[in-house]
Amino acid sequence: MQEKLTINSTEITRLLGTVGSPLIVISELIKNGIDANATKIEVIYDCTQCMVQVIDNGIGISTEEIKNLTKPGYSTKKTNGNIRNKQGFFFTGNKGLGILSCFSLCKRIIIDTIFQKNQKNYKYHAVLSKDGILDYQLSKNEDGYKTGTIITLQSIRPSDMSFLNTSSELQKIRHLSTYLYKRDKLPFPTITLKIDDQEPRSIYLDTEFKNMLYDVEFNYNKVLKKLYFSCKAGDGKNINFERIEVVSFDLQNLEKIALEHYRIKKTIKTRTNDNADYQSYTELDDVPSFEGRILVYDNQKAGATLKQYGAGVNLYVNQFALYNYLSSDNDWLGLGDFSQRKKATNLRPHNVFGYVNFNEFNENIEALRISNERADFIQDQIFKKLMYLLKGVIMFFVFNIDVAEKNPSYKVPLEKSDINSSASREKTNNTGKNSVPHTNGEDIIKTGGSVMSPKQEKSSEIDVGNDALDHQADTSNIYAPKDNYKPKKRFVSGLSFTAVEGKVIEGLKNRDSLSNKIYHLTYEITHLDIQNFCCSASGVYRGLLECATRYVARKHPDKIKFTEECLRDNIISVLNYYGNQGTMDKEVKLWRETVNKRYLIDTLNQYMHNETEVDIDFIEQTWKTMKSYIIKCISE
């Protein structure tokens, strides 16, 4: 059968011109699979054939839905109470433009789908061409396959295929959903990406957030018009961890809250506070509910976590990203302005990580509108009010908490009774840490049963008579670090092996050219000062991994596949070989996680081939795991 699109070519051209990136197309097809109750989705990039496939095991596309492909903008999602799939996910879209957006990437769409009707499986093969013609054929499914859909995009421009395969776009697809933050809370489907002949890899990122300065959580309830905010902090920070409630959003009330809950007597306005009008913080009826989390790191500790996963705060609607906010270069929160207003702040574009999600967002009833290509919100008056809550309220609190922690003059000093109670609270919040709290950035010194700051102690020394003598006599109880104490260097001078591992390396001498090269690489990497020669160290590190992998592959050519194209695949082949032996499951698991979840080889390649700054923390941390892999390989 054949049908024609009910939209003219001029309108098609206009709509396709709004699709800002090929990745938006891939994202829309993935979300269609999720809406179809899929628990498994496979994305395949065939760069040689200039083709992309998205395969899901969902409920398939029915006859009615096939015919509706010719009616762009028509959708039955989120109508008549039909707002969730069977896994409980709120439907990701309802504009009916997902398939049409594919023509911004390809010239031909092929749809093979199996759906069930009256307990029988039917199969559709449909071809939709860019000239607006839909050919489709229905048949009974005689193959016994379960329901599901394969969408194939053909005749993609080579430049678009190359762009999809760049490190920046691959980084963005890994942030497609809020899985990183909610993996234990929502039934996300399995989503893998396969590029050419590589093994499929999960697109999801997975990490434990550690060593952050601040962990901020918030949510806004549009019915109650209330914002809930909490800020947890790392060791040594005397901050109120409790959740606070904000019902009035003018600057005067925000300053009052900052004083009452965080003892901040002097605040700094954000640019959004400066430019806000009365409507920005009073008439909030149309602003939708949202939730979020923002993690702030200091300069030294940000590297290992944020450079690996990509810094920045992303925007999500119903758990899936708006494309324009996936770039770490998009400083939409205005973090750069904070560092201009106060240089002593950790709120910088590359120190902050997090998300804002609009949960159960229904485009049919929400006044805040999403662009047709689902890359951004329409930036109208409602969007302006939303930005005020995010930038003029939430970030106002985070910014001033951070500034006040570094500037004692911005905070009201604690009374002794407050210090004791806050010390007790901090001991509870910092599990296993018997740290002494800080007051306004000053060290606290225990004297007998009381707690005093250096300023308090100094003032007590000016007393005269017996009281002063008694105070001097008590100084024997005061702890003070020795003058000759020197903190350890932050980084070791080189990447090293143990003496036992060294015996294995020594055995490589003069065996053959590959053995000699491995020996020479180990010499170089153990003599390089990683602080001063981090680029060289990362290059030698990668070379050592490749040579060690080549070494063991030569020993077992019938069991380990080694090619010259992809080091990651070669390492996975070695790990599969070791995993099949069943004697070193724990080690293989650690190596596999470092290669797959921490994207070791991709990261080292970036250090070698583009301007990416070398993250010394990342090099050190992965080395602790992967040097045992190197030793295992050369022990064969």
Side-chain angles (χ1 to χ4, degrees), residues 424-444:
S424 175
R425 184 178 70 243
E426 181 163 326
K427 184 177 180 180
T428 301
N429 286 316
N430 296 320
T431 305
K433 303 285 186 181
N434 292 321
S435 56
V436 181
H438 286 29
T439 303
N440 302 327
E442 300 172 343
D443 292 332
I444 298 296

Side-chain angles (χ1 to χ4, degrees), residues 410-434:
Y410 282 66
K411 296 182 77 171
V412 175
L414 282 173
E415 299 294 334
K416 288 184 180 180
S417 58
D418 294 330
I419 295 173
N420 287 324
S421 62
S422 65
S424 175
R425 184 178 70 243
E426 181 163 326
K427 184 177 180 180
T428 301
N429 286 316
N430 296 320
T431 305
K433 303 285 186 181
N434 292 321

Side-chain angles (χ1 to χ4, degrees), residues 153-185:
L153 310 183
Q154 292 185 334
S155 301
I156 299 174
R157 290 184 296 272
S159 59
D160 285 335
M161 286 302 310
S162 297
F163 184 67
L164 283 170
N165 205 14
T166 59
S167 59
S168 62
E169 294 305 286
L170 293 176
Q171 180 80 294
K172 289 175 185 176
I173 201 172
R174 293 166 187 158
H175 288 282
L176 186 63
S177 75
T178 58
Y179 176 90
L180 183 61
Y181 305 93
K182 297 187 173 186
R183 57 187 179 272
D184 299 326
K185 299 178 181 178

Side-chain angles (χ1 to χ4, degrees), residues 536-577:
S536 299
S538 67
V540 177
Y541 181 9
R542 189 195 182 284
L544 191 51
L545 286 169
E546 182 167 3
C547 288
T549 303
R550 187 187 299 271
Y551 185 91
V552 68
R554 284 186 181 180
K555 296 288 185 179
H556 307 282
D558 56 330
K559 298 178 180 178
I560 299 175
K561 180 182 177 182
F562 188 94
T563 66
E564 300 296 335
E565 287 78 20
C566 184
L567 174 56
R568 177 192 168 276
D569 289 350
N570 293 335
I571 293 177
I572 293 300
S573 182
V574 173
L575 298 184
N576 291 339
Y577 165 68

Side-chain angles (χ1 to χ4, degrees), residues 59-74:
I59 59 176
I61 303 176
S62 67
T63 300
E64 181 184 10
E65 290 170 325
I66 287 288
K67 293 180 180 180
N68 286 339
L69 292 176
T70 61
K71 304 174 185 177
Y74 178 82

Side-chain angles (χ1 to χ4, degrees), residues 184-439:
D184 299 326
K185 299 178 181 178
L186 292 172
F188 286 96
T190 300
I191 305 178
T192 59
L193 172 63
K194 183 178 186 295
I195 302 175
D196 294 331
D197 295 327
Q198 298 178 14
E199 290 292 322
R201 300 167 57 184
S202 172
I203 71 167
Y204 292 133
L205 292 171
D206 193 356
T207 187
E208 294 292 331
F209 297 110
K210 299 178 180 178
N211 301 321
M212 75 281 289
L213 288 175
Y214 311 106
D215 185 353
V216 176
E217 295 189 58
F218 52 87
N219 66 79
Y220 175 73
N221 187 307
K222 70 174 184 179
V223 177
L224 301 176
K225 295 188 180 65
K226 290 183 179 181
L227 175 74
Y228 301 94
F229 175 93
S230 66
C231 178
K232 297 180 181 178
D235 293 346
K237 294 192 178 299
N238 185 27
I239 293 176
N240 179 7
F241 289 3
E242 297 175 358
R243 190 173 79 155
I244 64 172
E245 181 181 291
V246 187
V247 295
S248 181
F249 304 99
D250 59 282
L251 184 60
Q252 184 177 2
N253 188 62
L254 300 183
E255 291 176 334
K256 180 180 178 182
I257 291 172
L259 178 62
E260 291 180 353
H261 292 275
Y262 300 107
R263 304 181 8 257
I264 301 172
K265 64 180 181 180
K266 178 182 176 182
T267 62
I268 302 175
K269 294 186 291 184
T270 69
R271 186 181 298 276
T272 305
N273 297 126
D274 281 336
N275 298 330
D277 54 28
Y278 182 71
Q279 287 185 330
S280 298
Y281 49 81
T282 56
E283 300 175 11
L284 302 176
D285 297 36
D286 294 326
V287 177
S289 297
F290 60 85
E291 60 180 353
R293 184 180 180 191
I294 291 176
L295 307 169
V296 182
Y297 292 79
D298 65 19
N299 283 320
Q300 291 184 333
K301 294 179 181 178
T305 300
L306 300 195
K307 288 181 182 177
Q308 182 180 355
Y309 301 110
V313 179
N314 301 328
L315 277 182
Y316 297 84
V317 174
N318 297 323
Q319 315 303 334
F320 289 89
L322 293 179
Y323 175 82
N324 286 356
Y325 298 92
L326 286 176
S327 172
S328 59
D329 295 328
N330 183 1
D331 183 21
W332 66 274
L333 276 178
L335 299 175
D337 177 55
F338 295 151
S339 59
Q340 292 178 4
R341 291 179 178 240
K342 193 69 177 178
K343 294 189 180 299
T345 178
N346 292 288
L347 270 67
R348 301 171 184 272
H350 299 293
N351 285 27
V352 179
F353 187 68
Y355 80 99
V356 177
N357 175 57
F358 297 83
N359 203 27
E360 302 195 357
F361 185 94
N362 188 339
E363 293 99 321
N364 292 330
I365 62 175
E366 295 289 358
L368 182 65
R369 295 173 295 162
I370 301 176
S371 60
N372 283 335
E373 80 284 9
R374 306 188 70 79
D376 202 347
F377 287 115
I378 302 296
Q379 299 190 17
D380 54 12
Q381 185 65 28
I382 300 169
F383 180 82
K384 181 181 178 182
K385 295 176 184 179
L386 167 66
M387 287 298 108
Y388 178 82
L389 290 178
L390 290 171
K391 299 161 68 174
V393 180
I394 293 169
M395 296 309 298
F396 170 85
F397 285 137
V398 181
F399 178 42
N400 281 284
I401 287 171
D402 179 54
V403 170
E405 282 301 300
K406 291 189 174 184
N407 297 270
S409 62
Y410 282 66
K411 296 182 77 171
V412 175
L414 282 173
E415 299 294 334
K416 288 184 180 180
S417 58
D418 294 330
I419 295 173
N420 287 324
S421 62
S422 65
S424 175
R425 184 178 70 243
E426 181 163 326
K427 184 177 180 180
T428 301
N429 286 316
N430 296 320
T431 305
K433 303 285 186 181
N434 292 321
S435 56
V436 181
H438 286 29
T439 303

